[in-house]
Each structure stands twice: as C-alpha cells, then as structure tokens.
Amino acid sequence: MKKIKETIFVCGNCGNEFGKWMGQCSACGEWNTLKEVKSLGKAIGGQTHRSARTSEKLEVKNLSKIEIKSETNTNVFTSNIAEFDRVLGKGVVRGSVVLFAGEPGIGKSTLLTQLVGKVGGLYVAGEESAEQIALRVNRLGLNAERFDVFESNSVEEIEEYLNRVNNLYKIVVVDSIQVIGCESATGGMGSVTQIKESAFRLIQLAKKTGVAMFIVGHVTKDGDIAGPKLLEHMVDTVLYFEGEKNGDLRILRTTKNRFGPTDEVGVFKMEEKGLREIKSDEINLINGNEAKVGSAITLIVEGSRPMCIEIQALVVESFAPMPKRVFAGVDYNRGQLLVAIAQKNLGIPLYKYDVFVSVTGGIRIDDTGVDLAVLAAMWSSYKEKPLLSGAVYVGEVSLLGEVKKVKGWDRRKKEAEVMGRKVVEIKNVRALLH
Ligand code: TYD
Ligand code: MG
C-alpha cells in the first residue's frame, strides 16, 4: 500500500486543523498562528483514540440504570487551602481535571507544591528535578512524607505508573503540559499535536483512576502556539493564576468550572515561604484609611468576596510630543476613554499631561464600576489634593460623564459601611470638581 504522506497545519490558538497554510486562521481569526505538522497517513490528535475505541465493547447505558454516587461527601475532598476550595466550588472533585494556567514565574509550581504538601499526592516534575522540588518543599515548610515526585516527560510512563499503584493518590500534579509528550502523537515536545494528545490521555487516565489531576499550562502574553487555550474545552475546570510579577498579590480565578461557580476568586500573597491566603479584611488593611494625593479607593465584588482596592494615578506635565498613557490593572482602551472623559468633564488639559494609572497590589480589574475611582484619582493627582478620607468611589462613567450604578450596588454600599467607609453618591463626574 502506498504510504500517504500528509502535511497539515494546526492553529496554535484554537487547535483547528487545515489542509493548507493560511495567514489567518479561518476558525478563530487569529493571524500567523498556523504551524506545519507532519503526519504519516494518520490524522493527528483526536483520531488515534477514536479508532482504538471501536475495538472495545460498545455500550449504551440507560440513565435509570446509572448509579449516582453521593455528590457531596465521597467525590469531593478539601485541598486544605480554603481559598483554593472556594474557587473550585466545594473542593477538589475526584477524577476531575483542572487546567492550571498562568504566565511563567507567577507561582503555579509554588501553589501546586503547597497543594500536594497539604493533601499528599504525586508531583510529576517535567521541568524541574526531584531535588529542586525537595528544596522547595523544604523552603515552604511542607510535609515531605506524603509527597512523591516522579521525574518524567512521558504520558506512557505516567499511565504505567498510575495504573500500577492503583488509587494510591488523591491528587496528581503534572508540571507542565508543555514538556509532556507521548509516543502516539506526532510533532515535537510542546507542539500542538503533542499537547492535545497528551492532555487527552491524561484526562482519560484521571477519569479511569479517579485521581484529581492538575495540569499546569504556561500562557504567554500573546497566547503563543500550544498555549492552554487549546485545552480549555477538554478539561473540567480552568484556573488562571495571575498578578503583576513585581507586585506580590496573586489572584486565582476560574474561567470554566463544571463543578462550581466561575465568578469566585481566591487571593494570595507571594512571600518568602510561599503563597499565603489573604482574607478580605487584610486587603482592605493593605490599602489603609488615610487619604493621599492621587489615590482613590474603590470597592469591587468578585464572587462572594468584596474587596476595597486602591487606584493610584499620577498626572504630570508631559515633555513628549505624544503624552504617555500607562495603565496597569485597568484595560488600556477603557483607560484612554476615561482620560478623554476627564479632559472634557473635569477640564484637565490632559493633552499635555502624562497619565499613569495603577491598581495597587497588581490586581487586574475588568469591572467598569472602578471608572469613577480612576477619574477621582486622576483629579486628585492633577489638583494635588487628597480626596475625602474614608470615601469609596464606585460607578461606571458614561461618555457624557454620567455616573451609573453598577451591578451589586447595594451590596457594595453595605460592604463599604461595614468597613467604616462611605460610597460617594454623585450623578455626574463634574461633581468631583466641588
Ligand atoms: P514558580 O512557582 O516557580 O512559578 P511558575 O511555576 O508559575 O513558573 O514561582 C516563581 C517565583 O516565585 C520565583 O520568582 C520565586 C518566587 N517564590 C517566592 O517568592 N517564595 C517562595 O516560597 C517560592 C517557592 C517562590
Ligand atoms: Mg513552574
């Protein structure tokens, strides 16, 4: 038989496969993401397992015959890290697969090392040596007794070992999917096909053995080839660990969760001895109560957790032909818009001022409820006058400068009161002038 040599092109962003190269992926619209992958007569990714499956006995089950194990007690266990449990829903679900994504260096390995240290489990170290893990476990003051390390980059090895030890572990961490490969897939380590196939087999393994699997995936800023985006639809839960690298606050968010909510966040602080959980009151304390020039306090509600956050602005005369606009933690386009609103409604001649805005602690905010606080902080910096002490600025600002109440308004008002602060109620940003 003639061997069919096939070259296919795989999009690094969405994972779709094409017969020919294109500059733009016609499935997701991203540019320059198609990479050439060689395949010998065998279609890649999903298809190998499908053909393998047909040889198994086909079985269709009637729902009434399916035994439902009690959801609460037997299938869920605690991670012994309260913030982690809350973000996951009730806790860790047996047999579930969690994609743990974040930029390199943000603290993924640290947090998952702490998880295994607290619960006991297996750490598949693809990137680091067992000694490096041992050093970290020591440094974090964790119990090394229940902590097994497996230096491996091969799905086959992981499968063989987990099948052999049969239910020894509740948790398995695979760090990271980018350095795990399997023989059944084509392409080099870290390629789209390898990542897809390896992840698929790890997911099968988790379902079969009932172990809760945490798969680490590095994301790069530009969502580079073979990023975790590929895997999002395959896993049960997607956790993103994020924060500004030079800040020490870290936020754990879910963007997908088959077993719980997706709006909860967990807050941690990176310290000498690893990641420490942060309670709401502590964040509020971090931000202090005194009013400072260029600072405005706002209140966001993430999931069940209200947080007072400080927005800082620096508005200074510009000597550049194009004044600078730098926003950290606030969306760039939203920031630009707020600068324009400030110029129009607060009368700040921002065309000749540089504007820097940052959210303290390195939290990224998507909530338009912080608009008013950004404007208030800019105003305060420009006027070199502190805002009212104890004031909390919440509200979305329209193009006309109207301040609108946002989702959870009453809740935020109440929370502010509990914290001994008061939400400023104004209808138009021009009221800041008085
Ligand atoms: P790491 O977990 O290795 O990041 P990732 O796995 O996401 O790439 O964390 C790297 C950073 O965390 C590193 O710069 C050092 C810092 N760190 C601490 O500050 N304290 C600690 O106890 C540990 C283990 C790491
Ligand atoms: Mg790491």
Side-chain angles (χ1 to χ4, degrees):
M1 205 177 88
K2 206 176 132 209
K3 221 185 221 173
I4 316 160
K5 195 161 185 190
E6 221 184 300
T7 301
I8 55 165
F9 296 87
V10 180
C11 170
N13 184 51
C14 66
N16 272 290
E17 296 155 14
F18 303 94
K20 63 175 187 0
W21 190 85
M22 292 177 282
Q24 185 184 23
C25 171
S26 59
C28 69
E30 282 293 311
W31 287 91
N32 284 328
T33 49
L34 259 57
K35 285 267 160 84
E36 185 178 339
V37 175
K38 289 237 166 8
S39 161
L40 277 175
K42 175 184 75 175
I44 55 147
Q47 298 225 343
T48 34
H49 59 264
R50 227 171 282 143
S51 50
R53 264 197 180 176
T54 47
S55 59
E56 289 166 21
K57 202 174 118 226
L58 291 176
E59 189 189 3
V60 175
K61 293 173 183 158
N62 183 270
L63 269 195
S64 61
K65 305 256 159 43
I66 293 179
E67 193 189 327
I68 300 172
K69 294 177 206 113
S70 152
E71 208 195 297
T72 37
N73 303 327
T74 50
N75 281 345
V76 183
F77 59 91
T78 173
S79 65
N80 295 331
I81 304 175
E83 291 291 281
F84 213 103
D85 281 351
R86 207 159 44 86
V87 173
L88 285 174
K90 294 180 213 110
V92 186
V93 179
R94 278 180 217 277
S96 70
V97 178
V98 177
L99 174 64
F100 198 87
E103 284 176 34
I106 205 73
K108 299 181 295 298
S109 303
T110 307
L111 188 56
L112 291 176
T113 304
Q114 286 178 249
L115 175 71
V116 175
K118 294 242 163 98
V119 182
L122 176 71
Y123 199 99
V124 179
E127 295 181 1
E128 295 161 291
S129 67
E131 195 184 338
Q132 279 172 304
I133 309 278
L135 265 171
R136 187 158 66 226
V137 167
N138 257 346
R139 173 172 170 188
L140 299 172
L142 297 167
N143 180 359
E145 294 274 301
R146 295 183 305 162
F147 200 118
D148 288 352
V149 180
F150 184 23
E151 289 173 340
S152 175
N153 298 89
S154 143
V155 170
E156 283 83 9
E157 283 178 13
I158 301 170
E159 279 173 347
E160 192 195 323
Y161 178 64
L162 283 186
N163 283 325
R164 176 153 31 109
V165 296
N166 195 22
N167 286 339
L168 180 62
Y169 302 108
K170 285 210 279 192
I171 284 186
V172 172
V173 169
V174 178
D175 190 1
S176 69
I177 191 68
Q178 270 95 351
V179 297
I180 298 285
C182 61
E183 281 157 23
S184 60
T186 51
M189 187 84 79
S191 68
V192 175
T193 44
Q194 279 290 350
I195 290 190
K196 268 174 96 174
E197 182 76 15
S198 303
F200 180 81
R201 299 221 349 222
L202 289 173
I203 291 165
Q204 300 286 81
L205 187 62
K207 304 284 168 218
K208 186 176 150 219
T209 57
V211 70
M213 190 154 328
F214 290 81
I215 301 179
V216 175
H218 297 289
V219 224
T220 49
K221 274 243 161 73
D222 47 350
D224 204 7
I225 189 140
K229 282 254 172 298
L230 275 177
L231 309 178
E232 285 185 352
H233 63 283
M234 299 167 77
V235 297
D236 297 310
T237 301
V238 180
L239 295 183
Y240 270 90
F241 203 39
E242 55 189 36
E244 293 289 321
K245 250 187 252 163
N246 33 15
D248 48 12
L249 281 192
R250 298 284 181 272
I251 306 279
L252 186 65
R253 270 180 217 281
T254 41
T255 56
K256 168 181 177 179
N257 195 352
R258 286 195 181 134
F259 308 110
T262 51
D263 59 353
E264 282 291 347
V265 297
V267 184
F268 296 87
K269 194 167 175 212
M270 184 61 103
E271 294 183 345
E272 276 289 295
K273 289 196 151 226
L275 289 148
R276 187 167 62 80
E277 301 173 56
I278 300 284
K279 301 273 166 303
S280 295
D281 326 354
E282 201 176 337
I283 301 183
N284 303 331
L285 272 182
I286 292 172
N287 288 319
N289 227 334
E290 83 192 279
K292 296 169 283 186
V293 169
S295 151
I297 302 293
T298 188
L299 200 143
I300 56 172
V301 185
E302 295 265 12
S304 61
R305 142 168 235 160
M307 291 187 281
C308 267
I309 303 281
E310 183 190 12
I311 308 278
Q312 293 190 347
L314 178 62
V315 174
V316 281
E317 217 172 317
S318 177
F319 294 97
M322 278 277 280
K324 291 203 180 91
R325 308 292 183 232
V326 180
F327 304 98
V330 180
D331 177 66
Y332 182 77
N333 291 324
R334 192 80 204 160
Q336 290 277 41
L337 185 74
L338 293 173
V339 166
I341 292 173
Q343 177 154 330
K344 181 88 176 168
N345 293 281
L346 303 178
I348 314 177
L350 284 166
Y351 59 88
K352 54 176 183 179
Y353 282 84
D354 290 334
V355 178
F356 303 88
V357 173
S358 86
V359 179
T360 55
I363 296 180
R364 182 176 60 78
I365 301 183
D366 282 330
D367 185 348
T368 50
V370 304
D371 287 357
L372 185 60
V374 173
L375 286 168
M378 287 198 284
W379 173 247
S380 161
S381 174
Y382 172 69
K383 288 305 260 185
E384 297 199 18
K385 256 173 50 188
L387 298 163
L388 294 172
S389 118
V392 174
Y393 295 84
V394 182
E396 180 180 315
V397 179
S398 78
L399 294 185
L400 309 182
E402 304 145 320
V403 179
K404 296 195 176 132
K405 291 185 176 171
V406 281
K407 202 178 101 203
W409 173 263
D410 291 328
R411 173 114 187 266
R412 299 195 211 207
K413 223 174 116 177
K414 242 187 20 234
E415 290 296 342
E417 273 162 28
V418 172
M419 295 168 197
R421 298 173 191 261
K422 199 167 168 0
V423 171
V424 174
E425 294 199 50
I426 52 177
K427 292 219 156 56
N428 194 294
V429 285
R430 287 171 198 258
L432 289 173
L433 301 173
H434 310 302

